[in-house]
Amino acid sequence: MQQGSSPINEIVGALDENSTLMVTSNKVSADFCEKLSKKCEEKNIKIKYLSSDPIEDLSQNAFTNVELTRVSDKIASLSPEEKFKYFAEKLTDKQILLVTVPTDFAYLTNLRNYDFPYSSAPRAKAVVTKNSVTLFTDSKIPYEFEGLSVEPLEKFKNVLAQFVGKEILTDKSTISQADFMQIHPSNKVRSTNLFDVKSEKFDSEIEYLKSAFARTDRVLRKMNDLINSDAELSEYDLFCSINQFFKEEGALTQSFKPIIASGANSSIIHYSVASPDKIIKDGDLVMIDCGGFFEGGLATDITRTFVKGTPSDEQKYVYTRVFKGAVAALAHKFDDKATWQQVDLLVRRELEDEEKNGYLYSHSTGHGIGISVHEFPPRCSFQDEFALPFKKNYVFSVEPGLYKKGVGGVRLENAVYAKSVAPNLEIEVLSHYPFEEKLINREMLTKKELEFLEEWQNYGKTNNLCD
């Protein structure tokens, strides 16, 4: 799908009239299902909701009695009890807050679980009232306070019967259809974005993230050394190595399955299977998109494109164009009216003319980063719905890229946060790994871009991130 196209239109367009569409109700949001249902009516398509995923069919017991880890209050800034009070104060006696999204539960409780790859959020739920909070989990909660109770996860499906007639606060864009269907028809449902507060990081979380990204930068240093060694390596060899390097730097798990794409495979934006048969050869671009979860339970995310051996003139040209796109946002001085849309447009203006050369920029410029590696808000996209103002300490990525099918691609992703500097806003970088010097054509750079490059690369040299 190209940027701006609709998943719902694509799904329904691929179906015959009078057919039946099966939907895994525990993995699709209520809001998505509502819109999907309306579109299906146009072709008389019936929807059948499934209570489990017939493809994965993972047993719920897999999440029973897992060990939950508490993020220190020094990093989280607020204790679980203080967070409960924050949300409880937003409620009236006739309202309850339904917490069904793992990342929201993780934020509310300061709890994490690292037993399963590429996630830090426990599979658990919660109900918050004016005076109490009930956690639904099959794991032991490592603290207690007044008003807190803990129940088995299985009891959640019946709990809402206790609140008939109350107003339910939830976010229809994130609550699953399965959980939404548990709400009694007598309950009034009000959509809330209360948990958007988790995007506005505390200063203590920003300081922690600086450390986490420094460790992620060191992982890339090790990967670069490996790529440029004399060893014959496949994509899969690099995939195994990056797993080990994250462990060496103290990661408890990775924040997503790393992308290791070489040669023509680097043109695939979300290349998913590192091949043991794809050997890295001289002249190959190698795109690495990776991140980790460390002790603070917040994700890191970075992308760099390397080259083994000597690059071609075309590779240098494309890499330099993407670098210029990154600098357009990273070095920009924003005013107090800045929006996430503006970030995307600054980058896109640098890259969109490359379509004439067969290179496409077919994704948004950035996404929020938090307990999940993709956290909304914010999102940096050209669409008008993302013309939303900056907020202090929102962490997000700036990741321009150009891709040519069958040839290769370049993506350069850096994590930043919005830092208030009166009277202007400024974005400050969290990830500092150097750019690939031999892929940069300095003759294509303006004076401002050259100054930016020198300062960036010198930081890498000072901190032993490059030769």
Side-chain angles (χ1 to χ4, degrees):
M1 289 174 53
Q2 293 299 311
Q3 176 84 323
S5 57
S6 163
I8 290 176
N9 289 342
E10 296 291 334
I11 291 169
V12 176
L15 299 175
D16 295 329
E17 291 189 8
N18 304 310
S19 57
T20 300
L21 175 62
M22 292 186 285
V23 177
T24 51
S25 61
N26 62 338
K27 290 190 171 181
V28 184
S29 75
D31 181 63
F32 184 89
C33 287
E34 183 178 310
K35 294 174 181 175
L36 179 65
S37 179
K38 290 179 180 178
K39 191 68 179 178
C40 283
E41 288 176 1
E42 298 175 6
K43 297 176 70 173
N44 198 31
I45 296 169
K46 297 178 181 179
I47 295 180
K48 179 180 179 181
Y49 291 112
L50 305 177
S51 58
S52 63
D53 189 332
I55 298 173
E56 290 187 1
D57 197 23
L58 289 174
S59 169
Q60 288 299 313
N61 291 330
F63 299 104
T64 300
N65 296 321
V66 297
E67 183 178 353
L68 301 184
T69 302
R70 178 176 177 174
V71 176
S72 75
D73 292 348
K74 184 178 179 180
I75 294 175
S77 199
L78 294 180
S79 70
E81 184 174 10
E82 288 171 322
K83 287 186 175 179
F84 157 63
K85 289 179 179 178
Y86 168 84
F87 286 104
E89 288 172 356
K90 307 291 183 183
L91 305 177
T92 68
D93 292 334
K94 296 181 179 180
Q95 293 177 323
I96 70 166
L97 176 62
L98 208 54
V99 185
T100 63
V101 179
T103 51
D104 292 348
F105 180 92
Y107 179 81
L108 173 69
T109 62
N110 287 352
L111 295 175
R112 302 292 192 274
N113 169 244
Y114 304 100
D115 287 1
F116 301 93
Y118 317 130
S119 172
S120 73
R123 271 54 174 181
K125 305 177 193 294
V127 171
V128 182
T129 72
K130 188 73 175 173
N131 301 302
S132 67
V133 55
T134 304
L135 308 183
F136 295 87
T137 176
D138 296 322
S139 301
K140 183 179 179 181
I141 301 299
Y143 51 74
E144 56 184 35
F145 55 81
E146 185 178 354
L148 171 68
S149 60
V150 182
E151 296 287 350
L153 183 58
E154 203 240 351
K155 285 195 173 183
F156 177 80
K157 62 185 178 184
N158 299 319
V159 70
L160 294 182
Q162 303 173 24
F163 299 102
V164 172
K166 295 256 186 175
E167 184 175 59
I168 308 292
L169 271 61
T170 188
D171 185 347
K172 289 180 70 175
S173 69
T174 56
I175 185 174
S176 72
Q177 178 68 7
D179 287 332
F180 190 75
M181 290 191 296
Q182 300 292 330
I183 299 175
H184 194 274
S186 69
N187 290 111
K188 181 181 178 181
V189 178
R190 175 182 292 183
S191 188
T192 179
N193 60 354
L194 279 176
F195 275 97
D196 282 0
V197 69
K198 69 179 183 292
S199 294
E200 194 168 348
K201 305 296 185 288
F202 294 103
D203 289 344
S204 58
E205 291 177 307
I206 294 293
E207 289 307 307
Y208 157 73
L209 279 170
K210 290 177 181 179
S211 167
F213 273 98
R215 285 173 275 181
T216 303
D217 287 343
R218 290 199 291 270
V219 169
L220 279 186
R221 166 63 194 264
K222 295 176 183 180
M223 292 298 291
N224 188 23
D225 290 345
L226 189 58
I227 291 168
N228 286 287
S229 70
D230 293 331
E232 183 177 278
L233 299 165
S234 68
E235 289 178 341
Y236 183 71
D237 291 328
L238 294 179
F239 178 85
C240 294
S241 295
I242 203 169
N243 290 335
Q244 180 60 35
F245 293 156
F246 267 107
K247 289 179 183 177
E248 291 173 1
E249 292 296 334
L252 300 168
T253 187
Q254 291 175 81
S255 51
F256 58 98
K257 185 178 180 180
I259 296 172
I260 311 288
S262 67
N265 293 336
S266 62
S267 69
I268 303 170
I269 296 171
H270 292 121
Y271 182 69
S272 60
V273 182
S275 172
D277 300 321
K278 180 62 179 73
I279 305 300
I280 313 300
K281 299 177 181 178
D282 281 350
D284 275 352
L285 293 176
V286 183
M287 182 190 296
I288 299 178
D289 191 342
C290 63
F293 283 117
F294 299 87
E295 68 281 352
L298 297 174
T300 66
D301 187 9
I302 188 172
T303 307
R304 282 294 183 269
T305 303
F306 303 96
V307 65
K308 185 173 180 67
T310 304
S312 68
D313 289 343
E314 181 177 0
Q315 287 171 335
K316 292 178 68 173
Y317 173 82
V318 174
Y319 187 99
T320 306
R321 287 305 307 268
V322 175
F323 170 77
K324 289 168 72 73
V327 176
L330 297 175
H332 188 74
K333 298 297 183 184
F334 295 92
D335 60 28
D336 56 7
K337 296 181 177 61
T339 68
W340 308 116
Q341 182 190 49
Q342 183 184 2
V343 176
D344 182 277
L345 293 175
L346 283 168
V347 173
R348 200 165 295 279
R349 279 196 290 266
E350 282 288 338
L351 302 181
E352 59 188 358
D353 65 328
E354 284 304 315
E355 188 170 347
K356 67 180 182 294
N357 295 321
Y359 284 92
L360 301 179
Y361 182 28
S362 51
H363 55 77
S364 60
T365 291
H367 56 82
I369 302 172
I371 298 171
S372 170
V373 73
H374 282 188
E375 181 175 88
F376 181 83
R379 182 180 170 192
C380 304
S381 175
F382 63 84
Q383 294 159 306
D384 288 340
E385 62 187 291
F386 300 110
L388 303 172
F390 274 26
K391 289 189 178 180
K392 183 183 177 183
N393 283 5
Y394 270 33
V395 176
F396 60 101
S397 66
V398 176
E399 48 181 306
L402 288 172
Y403 314 88
K404 188 173 185 178
K405 186 176 180 180
V407 175
V410 172
R411 180 162 68 249
L412 301 174
E413 177 183 19
N414 295 283
V416 303
Y417 70 97
K419 179 181 179 181
S420 290
V421 180
N424 297 324
L425 285 167
E426 188 175 316
I427 58 175
E428 186 159 313
V429 176
L430 290 167
S431 47
H432 290 275
Y433 189 79
F435 296 101
E436 184 80 315
E437 190 71 48
K438 59 184 175 180
L439 275 168
I440 297 176
N441 182 345
R442 288 173 172 259
E443 293 180 358
M444 293 172 57
L445 303 182
T446 65
K447 180 180 178 182
K448 178 182 176 181
E449 290 165 343
L450 284 168
E451 291 173 351
F452 179 93
L453 177 63
E454 290 299 328
E455 183 178 352
W456 189 286
Q457 303 296 75
N458 284 337
Y459 183 97
K461 293 174 183 176
T462 304
N463 291 274
N464 196 32
L465 295 174
C466 59
D467 294 327

